[in-house]
Amino acid sequence: MHILVSILGLLGAGLFWWYRLRAAGAAVRDVADMAGRARGAVKRRRFRNRAAVSPFAAIDDPVVGAATVIIAMAQEQGSFDEDAERRLRDALSPVASRPGLVDEAVIYGKWAAGQCAEASTALRHVAPYLRETLSSAERGELLAIAETVLDPSTGTLAHREQLLRSLVARLEV
């Protein structure tokens, strides 16, 4: 009988500690969850503050900056249609540093370009960042991408050339 009581006691102690460890694991997961949410809230707040000042101040990647400038130029020239977006995505894909960056760049670029009336505004704000972060060869690539995306059949040829000249002047290619 005393062996049966001992086995039941050990079984009860094992169940008690199993339950306690399971509860402790849940508490650790909750703390990690809260820490992740707090970190995300800080990042969202920082981004909102930067974006409130200017949509261009939040640009922290050259691919996003390039997409924003090119989209602003295409919208000023005529329209940034699906074909122009496809050409931009195809041109940016080889230079994107991580998966999903091209999608992020195009989405953010459309939004930021929509916040300004002229491409010169986007160029004025984004070109200094691009000039600092891109090498001379990369700035030449950016100009080639802009020439590819800006369709000569939309708008006037003179306006297209003027947009490209102003990009060259701002980037000091």
Side-chain angles (χ1 to χ4, degrees), residues 145-169:
I145 292 171
E147 288 173 346
T148 302
V149 174
L150 294 177
D151 188 7
S153 66
T154 60
T156 63
L157 191 58
H159 189 248
R160 178 182 186 266
E161 293 304 316
Q162 187 270 331
L163 285 170
L164 292 172
R165 275 193 310 272
S166 95
L167 176 62
V168 168

Side-chain angles (χ1 to χ4, degrees), residues 8-168:
L8 287 177
L10 287 174
L11 189 62
L15 287 173
F16 171 77
W17 285 110
W18 174 77
Y19 175 77
R20 295 282 296 182
L21 289 175
R22 209 175 96 219
V28 168
R29 281 192 298 277
D30 288 346
V31 168
D33 228 18
M34 287 191 320
R37 277 183 289 196
R39 192 183 70 163
V42 167
K43 287 176 106 176
R44 283 190 302 277
R45 183 182 211 187
R46 187 178 314 135
F47 176 78
R48 271 196 306 268
N49 289 341
R50 284 175 38 198
V53 173
S54 167
F56 306 112
I59 294 175
D60 60 354
D61 190 282
V63 174
V64 176
T68 301
V69 167
I70 292 171
I71 291 170
M73 291 169 61
Q75 286 177 346
E76 183 175 319
Q77 183 191 12
S79 68
F80 184 69
D81 58 0
E82 291 173 6
D83 189 42
E85 183 176 333
R86 182 189 47 75
R87 288 192 309 267
L88 178 63
R89 286 178 185 274
D90 291 345
L92 290 178
S93 292
V95 296
S97 59
R98 60 183 164 81
L101 181 60
V102 173
D103 292 332
E104 177 185 327
V106 171
I107 290 168
Y108 189 85
K110 284 180 183 178
W111 175 77
Q115 302 299 310
C116 64
E118 300 177 332
S120 62
T121 305
L123 277 170
R124 186 174 63 248
H125 291 289
V126 180
Y129 171 73
L130 292 174
R131 200 172 38 246
E132 290 171 11
T133 57
L134 297 177
S135 68
S136 180
E138 290 169 333
R139 289 184 294 217
E141 263 185 74
L142 173 59
L143 182 61
I145 292 171
E147 288 173 346
T148 302
V149 174
L150 294 177
D151 188 7
S153 66
T154 60
T156 63
L157 191 58
H159 189 248
R160 178 182 186 266
E161 293 304 316
Q162 187 270 331
L163 285 170
L164 292 172
R165 275 193 310 272
S166 95
L167 176 62
V168 168

